[in-house]
Structures are given as structure tokens and as C-alpha cells.
Amino acid sequence: MNSEFLDLKNLKDLEENLFGLVSDLKTGSSFTSIHEAVDKFLASNIYAPESLPPFTRSAVDGYAVRARDTFGASEIQPALFEIKGEVSMGEKAKISPGRGEAVYIPTGAMLPADADSCIMIEETDRIAEDRIEVFTDVSPGENVIKQGDDIEEDELLLKSGHRLRAQDIGALAGLGITEVEVFDQPEISLISTGDEIVPPGNKKKDGEIRDINTPALAALFEKWGAQTKNYGIVPDRKRDLKKSISDCLSSDLIVVSGGSSVGHRDFTLDAINEIGSPGIIQHGLAVKPGKPTVVGKIDDTLVLGLPGNPASAWVVSCLIVPFVFKTMLERKTSALETRFQVARGKLKNQIASARGRSEYIPVKFLSPHESNLIKPIFGKSNLITTLVEADGFINIEAEKEGLEAGTGIEVYSVDRDLGLHSEERVVKNER
């Protein structure tokens, strides 16, 4: 049994190590209906098969005209137009305005040929069955949505690696795309260790505690787009832990909570090293909470050993697992960039911190009228209720000895989906 941490690395060093360790996703890709695709990651680029809107249309209820015929019109000297007819919704425009003519058009209807602008009905007065006065002039293209204004045919709409949102589903539907290719969800196996741990539904005896980490982490990872497999609770025996890890090697990632420290009943390190190579890659992370973090690899499966304390397990998961997801998907696509949702806050209280480890502290926003004031939530790393109360967490860098009251600081949300980097539009012929 190891008697001390192998090497206390900072998060940046760990990410550099992980980038070379994370294997390809073991899962592939499949086509799915857009109705079932929200929150899934695209496995291929999506190009617009047609322009949207597919035709030039009116942005207002009013009259389609030739803009040059309105020049000089005003309330004092209105222009007179003859009404030639009207455009019906959902049909191709069959009539066109000539000189001094107007065609009635509802919002969204196709703009007639020869018309280049629309006049809002509020800027006109119908003085006869077939005559209107126009009290303003319009410029070419005014009150008109042109074909392709939203997106042009063959333009890149969404990149491979993009996580589909509700608004993306709407855009796909508008383009007539009903199925998309998405990556199958990464599979994470969850193992909790400890003789004192019992399932949440069990009646506990003195000295026992219910399993917090498995349900909490499963919910977190599934929110991020993974599918989880709950292996169950493993007693503090090395042979049992070795069997449970071995049984999960088909997963993309194995997460073991508990047993990652250096006590006489902490077997995660030995179990990983004895099952296969390369074994333990790192033991010890220069963050608080989360120092006894284990990173290992058995053949092509990454194993993450978390502290058993719920707050520690949660913080380390938030720091490491998104990066693992990102790197797995980057083996398939270079378009993905994960990050936390970030807000700005101002500390209400002073916070003390010891140098040497980057510290992550849960915080809560006070009421909005208090200028984004945040208060730290102090509690030990085994207290799950500190996370229940928190809106997010802040980071005190390792070289600092705390933060003064009134300091402006970024708050990282742990209750949001993984953010994705929005790319600039790319035209199809640039592939």
C-alpha cells in the first residue's frame, strides 16, 4: 500500500497528461430522429440542403411596391397607388406591381416579381376599393426578408461535435432535415466503495451511511450527455474492487468513489495497478477539496478514483470529466470545446485560503438587487448540503492566500449543461 501521494500536480498538468491518455470513444454513431436528438452530439457536419427562407417574403402586413415609386411620399404630400390585387399565404405570387401599383401582402407571404420592398399598412390609407395613399417612402429591400437571409443553401449550419439544443432542432426542421447522425453516448461505470455505504433505499444501521455519490454523479454525467452504469457498492476488499473494475472495462470511463487515499483500507491504487497496464498515472491533485484524486488507465479504459466525500467527488468530477468528454470527442471531431457557464459576482465576505493548492469554494448569489453579491458557503468536503445551497463555485488560485470582501470574481455554474463553442459560418465549398 502506498504511504503517500505520488505526485501532487495542478489541474493544468493533469489535463496535459489526460490529453495523451484518453482513448477514442468505444461507442460509434447512429442516425436518430430530430425529435429524440436534443442534448446529443452531432457526429457529422450539417449543411443546409436549401436556403431559409426558401423565397423572398414580406416582413409586414402591407403592400408590395417598387421602392422608386414611393420616393418623396409624405403625410403632407402622399403618393397615390392603384391596388392591383393581393398575394395569398402559402401560394406563389401570381401578380406583380407595375409603375404606381401596389399588391396587398400579409406577413410571410411571397414577394411578387418586380416588387422590391413593402409598405406597412399603418403608413397607408385606403381611399377607395382600388386606391391607397402612401405617407412615407421606402428603400429597396425595406420590410422584406430575402431568400437565404437566415441561411443559404450549402452553408454550414452545425459542426460535428455540436451538442444539439432546442433551437437547433427548429432550424433542422425548417430545412426539412428529420434525421441526424449523432455520437452514441459515452458510457461511464460508477463504483462506490466502503463497508459503511448502503443503497439509498436501504434501512441503515448505526455506523452506516447511504450512498450519495452514485446517484449524484450519475445525474451529473447524464446531464452532460453520458449514459451511466451503476455497478453498485463494493466492500473494502481489494479482490472485490479488482473484480468490479475488471467487469467495467468495456465502458469509456470508470469512476470509483472512495478508496483513493492512503489509508489501510484504500485499495483503488493497488487494484488499478494489479489489473493491467499502464496502471496509475497520477495520485494527488493540487486542489481543495479533492487532493486524494487518482487517475489511471487499464489497457484503453480510463479510471478516475474520487475521494469518497461528496463535495470533493463533485468538485473533482466537474473539473475533470468535462475535459475527458471533450478529449474523447476530439478524437472524432475538432469542433467541440467544453467550458462551464460563467457569471460575474462580487464577494460579500473575506475568504482565507492556504497557499499551495487551488481551492474551489461553493458560493450562493444573494438577491438580485444586491448587485450580484455572492457569499461563500463554508463546510467540510463530506457535506452534500453545501452543494445543495450553492449556485456555483469560485476558484482561489494556489498562489493566493484568500480574497478580500468586494473582490469581483467569476462564478462557475455546476447546474448547467456543458457549454459548446459556437463557430463562425463556413460555406460548403470550403470543406
Side-chain angles (χ1 to χ4, degrees):
M1 177 63 65
N2 295 287
S3 60
E4 58 183 73
F5 296 105
L6 300 180
D7 186 11
L8 209 60
K9 292 186 180 294
N10 60 41
L11 187 62
K12 184 178 179 181
D13 290 338
L14 175 60
E15 288 181 348
E16 290 176 356
N17 287 340
L18 282 173
F19 190 79
L21 291 171
V22 176
S23 300
D24 290 2
L25 277 170
K26 296 178 182 178
T27 49
S29 62
S30 57
F31 284 87
T32 188
S33 164
I34 60 172
H35 302 295
E36 299 174 351
V38 70
D39 282 339
K40 291 183 169 59
F41 294 94
L42 282 174
S44 57
N45 293 338
I46 301 290
Y47 293 89
E50 60 187 49
S51 295
L52 192 66
F55 53 84
T56 299
R57 58 185 184 176
S58 174
V60 297
D61 289 328
Y63 295 91
V65 297
R66 304 188 310 174
R68 61 182 177 274
D69 295 340
T70 70
F71 293 166
S74 67
E75 292 186 4
I76 298 174
Q77 190 173 2
L80 186 65
F81 281 78
E82 179 184 355
I83 302 173
K84 190 172 182 182
E86 67 178 71
V87 180
S88 298
M89 288 294 293
E91 295 183 6
K92 184 177 180 180
K94 299 175 182 177
I95 52 177
S96 300
R99 181 177 180 182
E101 293 178 335
V103 176
Y104 175 76
I105 188 168
T107 301
M110 178 181 283
L111 191 73
D114 297 330
D116 60 5
S117 58
C118 292
I119 302 170
M120 295 175 65
I121 199 167
E122 296 91 336
E123 301 290 347
T124 68
D125 183 22
R126 193 159 189 163
I127 58 175
E129 186 65 25
D130 62 349
R131 291 283 189 276
I132 59 170
E133 288 183 330
V134 174
F135 302 109
T136 187
D137 57 7
V138 290
S139 302
E142 191 167 341
N143 297 321
V144 166
I145 301 173
K146 293 183 179 179
Q147 178 181 356
D149 266 358
D150 203 346
I151 188 169
E152 294 181 359
E153 184 178 356
D154 287 341
E155 190 177 342
L156 179 65
L157 174 66
L158 298 168
K159 270 196 171 186
S160 176
H162 178 77
R163 188 175 189 179
L164 289 165
R165 306 160 298 170
Q167 57 266 45
D168 302 325
I169 302 302
L172 293 168
L175 290 166
I177 299 171
T178 59
E179 283 192 338
V180 289
E181 184 183 8
V182 297
F183 288 116
D184 296 332
Q185 295 169 287
E187 183 181 88
I188 300 181
S189 285
L190 294 168
I191 302 170
S192 282
T193 68
D195 292 333
E196 78 283 12
I197 307 296
V198 296
N202 283 26
K203 186 175 181 179
K204 60 182 180 64
K205 300 179 294 186
D206 290 344
E208 293 181 334
I209 58 173
R210 294 189 178 93
D211 183 14
I212 293 174
N213 287 340
T214 299
L217 296 179
L220 183 66
F221 299 155
E222 288 169 10
K223 188 177 181 67
W224 287 345
Q227 56 180 329
T228 59
K229 183 170 70 174
N230 178 9
Y231 188 88
I233 299 167
V234 177
D236 287 324
R237 290 191 291 272
K238 185 166 65 173
R239 67 175 182 275
D240 293 325
L241 182 57
K242 287 176 65 175
K243 182 181 185 305
S244 66
I245 293 175
S246 297
D247 289 345
C248 296
L249 288 176
S250 61
S251 295
D252 293 296
L253 173 66
I254 300 172
V255 175
V256 182
S257 63
S260 66
S261 193
V262 291
H264 70 283
R265 302 190 70 80
D266 293 321
F267 298 111
T268 301
L269 278 80
D270 289 347
I272 294 172
N273 275 331
E274 292 176 17
I275 294 171
S277 60
I280 297 297
I281 304 299
Q282 180 170 328
H283 186 207
L285 188 62
V287 300
K288 180 182 179 180
K291 181 179 178 181
T293 296
V294 174
V295 177
K297 191 174 184 182
I298 301 169
D299 298 328
D300 60 351
T301 300
L302 196 68
V303 184
L304 177 61
L306 302 175
N309 288 329
S312 298
W314 181 277
V315 168
V316 173
S317 294
C318 288
L319 294 175
I320 295 178
V321 175
F323 183 84
V324 173
F325 279 8
K326 169 183 180 287
T327 309
M328 283 178 176
L329 287 170
E330 277 186 339
R331 298 290 189 265
K332 304 278 188 180
T333 174
S334 61
L336 185 68
E337 178 186 326
T338 57
R339 62 173 183 269
F340 289 111
Q341 299 288 335
V342 179
R344 293 289 301 180
K346 185 183 295 184
L347 281 176
K348 183 178 182 180
N349 311 97
Q350 182 181 17
I351 302 177
S353 179
R355 287 177 179 264
R357 282 197 287 164
S358 184
E359 186 167 4
Y360 292 85
I361 298 174
V363 295
K364 182 177 180 63
F365 277 99
L366 301 180
S367 52
H369 65 271
E370 295 191 55
S371 303
N372 280 345
L373 281 178
I374 55 173
K375 69 171 184 177
I377 302 172
F378 297 110
K380 296 183 178 179
S381 58
N382 62 347
L383 302 179
I384 188 63
T385 52
T386 59
L387 295 177
V388 172
E389 189 180 350
D391 293 316
F393 55 83
I394 61 172
N395 173 224
I396 302 178
E397 297 172 355
E399 65 273 11
K400 293 186 177 180
E401 293 183 340
L403 298 171
E404 296 292 332
T407 301
I409 193 167
E410 291 181 336
V411 179
Y412 300 90
S413 171
V414 293
D415 194 36
R416 301 283 185 90
D417 295 334
L418 291 178
L420 298 180
H421 182 61
S422 59
E423 301 285 345
E424 293 184 359
R425 290 179 172 184
V426 179
V427 177
K428 189 173 184 178
N429 61 19
E430 293 178 356
R431 283 184 292 178

